[in-house]
Amino acid sequence: MQSPWKILTVAPLFLLLSLQSSASPANDDQSRPSLSNGHTCVGCVLVVSVIEQLAQVHNSTVQASMERLCSYLPEKLFLKTTCYLVIDKFGSDIIKLLSADMNADVVCHTLEFCKQNTGQPLCHLYPLPKETWKFTLQKARQIVKKSPILKYSRSGSDICSLPVLAKICQKIKLAMEQSVPFKDVDSDKYSVFPTLRGYHWRGRDCNDSDESVYPGRRPNNWDVHQDSNCNGIWGVDPKDGVPYEKKFCEGSQPRGIILLGDSAGAHFHISPEWITASQMSLNSFINLPTALTNELDWPQLSGATGFLDSTVGIKEKSIYLRLWKRNHCNHRDYQNISRNGASSRNLKKFIESLSRNKVLDYPAIVIYAMIGNDVCSGKSDPVPAMTTPEKLYSNVMQTLKHLNSHLPNGSHVILYGLPDGTFLWDNLHNRYHPLGQLNKDMTYAQLYSFLNCLQVSPCHGWMSSNKTLRTLTSERAEQLSNTLKKIAASEKFTNFNLFYMDFAFHEIIQEWQKRGGQPWQLIEPVDGFHPNERKSILLKGILMTSQTLDNQEWTQLTSWIKGNLTCDSRTREWLCCCWRIISGKRCSSSGPKSWERRIRSTPRLNRCLETKAGTEPLRSMHPWGAQGGRGLGKLIPQTLWGLPRHRPKGLFFSSIFAKCLSLNEEHIWTTVQCCVLPGSVTLPLFLK
């Protein structure tokens, strides 16, 4: 196969494909204006606005600002070259129009990138000119009357119609629609290439010539000869002949994370630096090629499957990184099966891209998070297009049956509810958009109106000045959430437990405000709709501490996500061994060897393990001076008895335990559950 970097040489192709698949829900309504025309109009107004503002910021000519913009773009995907070609074709007309004080709306309508069809309203982003629109447009057309470019712009040609690009377009569109890697030699749905649905979306393949080697599978013969599950663990320990995979991963209950989502789950993001003239520099567009070949999504930073550290200073980690941190046997076991415009209606078109074999692979935690497009569309009347509760029930049940036929036994599925999107208008409508901050001439209310007029809005229902429409949209969202809740409460499946979780909007806002933030800072600033990286990660963090479900299965699930531990026989065996050591009792001489080696990092416990009798004087075992009690008190482990009275100030029970065992606090929670107070209602008292 030809190298992808040699294939990706035509930037307009990716601009077109990315914009057409970006944030707007997919639908088949042929009566609507062409989405490509709407997005072309948005793109034109955006670019002309940036050119105009660059000239203003740098006190330069329009010609100089266009050249400056092109100089900022990277060479990859021929972005810089394409920019100069665009200047060569349209630059002279843009210069004439901007020099005549025409704004971006007028320029794009004059060049016919924006069109007002018969019977359709006039779509504009900025305030209308003081003179009538008709007069202004006629005046602008007179300025460029003799331009040959107008014939080109009227042609409506699609770059994918060019013979040389038709085959590439088809392959890339297919990869996007089916959510499978563009480059996948062995067809196992995993890739060694980062973008175009590669390892930014699902774990990196470690052998792209062998379809039996991929992340998330159970090891083949304990990976004695090769790394069959791509977690980096294989071979045999020469000291004892035990395979490393068996030594480190047996009994650790590895779990993969799979997200079935929309553009929010894929983490749709347009960088504000790309459109803010005052912030633009040579470094602003470094990530643009990656973004274009990822459909303007950033799954590598998403709250569910992100494997890179947060770029916004949030301490919380994605669910995948939590799983990986607690158990490195989970390395690379993530799948982001999300798509811009996805909903319960069209998930069936790409759910086949999910990779899980119920016999060969490890169980997985699956998050179903279609949080918007069942109530969102860009239609002028979005209410009839909303999914009904009955249809949602049918769609979700179809999805769950598919998952039950593919997921290994012991998996978990979480259904996310829909948010109340009235938050958007309430917190953003009167704020200036990044394009309007320089001249204070464009708010989010104007952006919403512009997108709605072009019928390319990601959510007309919530991004509207019509309060009644916003309320109707939220009411339908609540109905759909209740449907998901009922499904989780009533339906049972053989291969997974099913849970429901509310979209914790208010909890996220409260947590962010506690940190000194403002609610509007949780929304993507450019599109004014999607949750940004902060909100996405905070939402997944709230999942870890959710009290929505107070039952044993939910506790097990959050334990897996936090530390991959439950009170099964093996876990109880090694954790209780630790407990006996720390409480001064005899340590087990038959405990699991690998876990005993882990405990040896604490010298005092090491001495205990090496003592055949397994005992030491109690005072040397309890450096904080814990003493036993009398009567019933003798039945209470001495450390537990003494800690409430003798622990150092500010040192919590869990911290002391962690110091003793060199384990994290999630292990400690499980230790107490398994070994100390099973079933006790007083358990939380010892962890506070």
Side-chain angles (χ1 to χ4, degrees):
M1 178 179 286
Q2 188 176 358
S3 170
W5 287 119
K6 293 181 181 179
I7 293 175
L8 309 182
T9 57
V10 186
L13 167 63
F14 292 98
L15 286 167
L16 177 63
L17 293 175
S18 296
L19 287 172
Q20 285 183 333
S21 69
S22 59
S24 296
N27 57 75
D28 303 317
D29 186 358
Q30 300 300 322
S31 65
R32 296 177 58 193
S34 169
L35 287 182
S36 61
N37 289 340
H39 286 117
T40 299
C41 179
V42 172
C44 176
V45 173
L46 184 152
V47 171
V48 173
S49 297
V50 170
I51 291 171
E52 185 178 16
Q53 292 183 18
L54 276 173
Q56 183 180 349
V57 168
H58 296 281
N59 193 25
S60 66
T61 64
V62 175
Q63 175 71 34
S65 72
M66 288 192 293
E67 293 177 354
R68 183 186 298 273
L69 177 60
C70 291
S71 71
Y72 289 157
L73 295 175
E75 295 285 358
K76 274 186 179 179
L77 306 186
F78 285 75
L79 289 169
K80 190 187 294 287
T81 302
T82 302
C83 183
Y84 283 119
L85 288 173
V86 170
I87 288 179
D88 184 60
K89 276 193 174 296
F90 301 101
S92 61
D93 288 339
I94 293 174
I95 291 172
K96 293 175 185 177
L97 292 169
L98 290 181
S99 299
D101 293 329
M102 303 295 177
N103 68 16
D105 290 318
V106 178
V107 172
C108 293
H109 275 85
T110 302
L111 298 180
E112 298 191 2
F113 288 109
C114 297
K115 298 180 181 180
Q116 182 182 7
N117 296 326
T118 304
Q120 295 294 321
L122 172 65
C123 302
H124 59 94
L125 182 60
Y126 296 98
L128 290 172
K130 294 180 180 179
E131 298 174 322
T132 64
W133 174 260
K134 185 177 181 180
F135 176 80
T136 303
L137 194 58
Q138 288 177 345
K139 182 179 176 181
R141 284 172 176 168
Q142 281 296 118
I143 295 174
V144 295
K145 183 178 181 179
K146 297 181 180 181
S147 173
I149 300 302
L150 291 180
K151 294 181 180 180
Y152 176 86
S153 64
R154 285 194 187 98
S155 67
S157 60
D158 184 345
I159 194 168
C160 287
S161 65
L162 298 176
V164 70
L165 296 177
K167 191 172 182 179
I168 299 175
C169 279
Q170 185 178 9
K171 290 192 69 174
I172 294 175
K173 283 182 177 179
L174 188 64
M176 290 180 177
E177 290 172 359
Q178 297 183 349
S179 300
V180 294
F182 175 75
K183 178 179 172 62
D184 180 15
V185 176
D186 57 10
S187 299
D188 60 1
K189 300 179 181 177
Y190 294 88
S191 178
V192 296
F193 189 64
T195 60
L196 290 174
R197 292 284 166 172
Y199 65 77
H200 282 178
W201 298 84
R202 56 183 83 205
R204 182 171 183 169
D205 201 341
C206 55
N207 187 343
D208 206 19
S209 60
D210 187 345
E211 64 177 359
S212 68
V213 175
Y214 55 86
R217 68 157 293 168
R218 297 180 186 274
N220 181 15
N221 190 28
W222 291 113
D223 284 358
V224 171
H225 300 294
Q226 68 169 341
D227 186 8
S228 65
N229 54 19
C230 299
N231 65 2
I233 304 172
W234 66 282
V236 178
D237 189 340
K239 295 180 180 179
D240 52 20
V242 178
Y244 288 116
E245 180 83 31
K246 181 179 180 68
K247 179 175 294 188
F248 297 135
C249 299
E250 185 182 22
S252 67
Q253 303 179 28
R255 291 289 186 277
I257 178 70
I258 301 173
L259 177 66
L260 302 176
D262 49 25
S263 52
H267 186 28
F268 182 85
H269 170 70
I270 299 175
S271 174
E273 285 187 315
W274 298 349
I275 64 169
T276 308
S278 60
Q279 299 178 10
M280 218 170 275
S281 68
L282 287 172
N283 295 324
S284 298
F285 296 94
I286 288 177
N287 292 321
L288 181 57
T290 298
L292 290 175
T293 49
N294 268 339
E295 305 158 48
L296 293 179
D297 295 324
W298 304 70
Q300 67 273 31
L301 294 170
S302 73
T305 64
F307 58 87
L308 300 180
D309 288 334
S310 169
T311 62
V312 292
I314 296 291
K315 63 180 180 179
E316 286 82 0
K317 304 293 185 182
S318 69
I319 294 179
Y320 164 70
L321 284 179
R322 289 168 183 260
L323 287 167
W324 176 84
K325 182 178 180 181
R326 305 311 186 197
N327 183 356
H328 283 20
C329 300
N330 292 315
H331 186 48
R332 295 184 180 177
D333 194 1
Y334 61 90
Q335 298 180 55
N336 194 317
I337 315 296
S338 299
R339 201 177 84 179
N340 299 335
S343 68
S344 71
R345 298 186 298 269
N346 57 34
L347 176 58
K348 61 185 177 183
K349 295 181 180 180
F350 60 94
I351 195 173
E352 293 291 341
S353 68
L354 185 150
S355 172
R356 217 64 178 182
N357 185 297
K358 62 192 307 181
V359 176
L360 298 178
D361 299 344
Y362 283 121
I365 300 168
V366 180
I367 298 177
Y368 175 96
M370 300 294 172
I371 64 172
N373 292 322
D374 282 293
V375 296
C376 288
S377 73
K379 294 184 178 182
S380 56
D381 183 7
V383 176
M386 295 179 184
T387 304
T388 64
E390 295 76 18
K391 188 60 178 176
L392 180 75
Y393 180 90
S394 174
N395 294 338
V396 173
M397 287 302 299
Q398 184 178 355
T399 297
L400 294 176
K401 289 176 182 177
H402 178 90
L403 292 175
N404 197 46
S405 66
H406 287 75
L407 293 178
N409 188 266
S411 296
H412 299 272
V413 176
I414 305 171
L415 303 178
Y416 264 15
L418 282 70
D420 178 4
T422 55
F423 168 92
L424 298 172
W425 180 267
D426 293 343
N427 287 274
L428 289 176
H429 77 278
N430 59 353
R431 297 191 61 83
Y432 289 112
H433 185 269
L435 273 180
Q437 289 175 359
L438 182 63
N439 298 310
K440 310 299 180 188
D441 56 354
M442 198 262 281
T443 63
Y444 282 96
Q446 292 168 252
L447 172 68
Y448 294 167
S449 176
F450 181 53
L451 298 178
N452 291 336
C453 180
L454 292 170
Q455 298 191 48
V456 295
S457 170
C459 193
H460 187 176
W462 278 323
M463 299 166 70
S464 170
S465 59
N466 187 330
K467 185 176 181 180
T468 301
L469 179 57
R470 300 198 304 270
T471 302
L472 287 172
T473 306
S474 290
E475 288 175 352
R476 178 58 60 86
E478 185 177 7
Q479 293 170 3
L480 298 185
S481 294
N482 288 335
T483 300
L484 294 172
K485 189 180 298 185
K486 290 177 182 178
I487 292 174
S490 60
E491 301 294 338
K492 302 295 181 184
F493 296 87
T494 56
N495 286 331
F496 59 81
N497 295 320
L498 186 60
F499 306 98
Y500 170 83
M501 182 177 175
D502 284 317
F503 192 97
F505 221 146
H506 297 295
E507 288 86 343
I508 296 170
I509 294 172
Q510 290 173 3
E511 175 61 29
W512 182 239
Q513 288 177 327
K514 286 179 183 177
R515 303 183 187 192
Q518 296 296 320
W520 58 268
Q521 294 173 321
L522 298 172
I523 302 299
E524 282 292 332
V526 174
D527 63 58
F529 173 67
H530 291 91
N532 63 16
E533 186 180 342
R534 295 187 187 99
K535 186 175 179 182
S536 177
I537 296 177
L538 286 174
L539 176 62
K540 300 309 183 290
I542 287 175
L543 169 67
M544 304 300 97
T545 57
S546 174
Q547 301 300 318
T548 304
L549 290 174
D550 186 16
N551 60 41
Q552 184 178 3
E553 291 178 349
W554 181 257
T555 300
Q556 289 178 343
L557 174 58
T558 53
S559 294
W560 277 323
I561 297 175
K562 289 181 177 182
N564 292 305
L565 294 172
T566 56
C567 285
D568 58 23
S569 59
R570 183 173 181 82
T571 304
R572 183 180 293 108
E573 184 179 7
W574 72 264
L575 282 176
C576 291
C577 174
C578 295
W579 175 255
R580 285 190 292 272
I581 295 170
I582 197 64
S583 62
K585 296 185 177 182
R586 176 173 179 171
C587 39
S588 171
S589 59
S590 61
K593 297 298 182 184
S594 61
W595 294 115
E596 289 187 1
R597 279 193 294 273
R598 181 173 185 174
I599 300 171
R600 289 178 187 274
S601 59
T602 301
R604 181 166 49 81
L605 301 183
N606 185 29
R607 290 198 304 273
C608 176
L609 287 170
E610 290 175 348
T611 303
K612 287 186 178 181
T615 58
E616 286 191 51
L618 289 181
R619 289 194 178 275
S620 64
M621 287 294 294
H622 303 297
W624 296 285
Q627 301 293 327
R630 297 180 179 179
L632 291 176
K634 292 183 178 180
L635 300 178
I636 302 177
Q638 294 195 17
T639 301
L640 184 60
W641 179 269
L643 282 176
R645 294 179 55 193
H646 300 285
R647 66 182 179 187
K649 185 177 180 180
L651 191 58
F652 296 144
F653 173 79
S654 53
S655 299
I656 296 173
F657 223 141
K659 181 180 173 105
C660 292
L661 300 181
S662 298
L663 301 174
N664 61 52
E665 296 197 4
E666 283 73 32
H667 291 127
I668 308 313
W669 170 271
T670 310
T671 302
V672 180
Q673 281 184 305
C674 294
C675 312
V676 185
L677 300 170
S680 172
V681 296
T682 61
L683 183 59
L685 297 177
F686 296 98
L687 295 175
K688 240 348 184 178

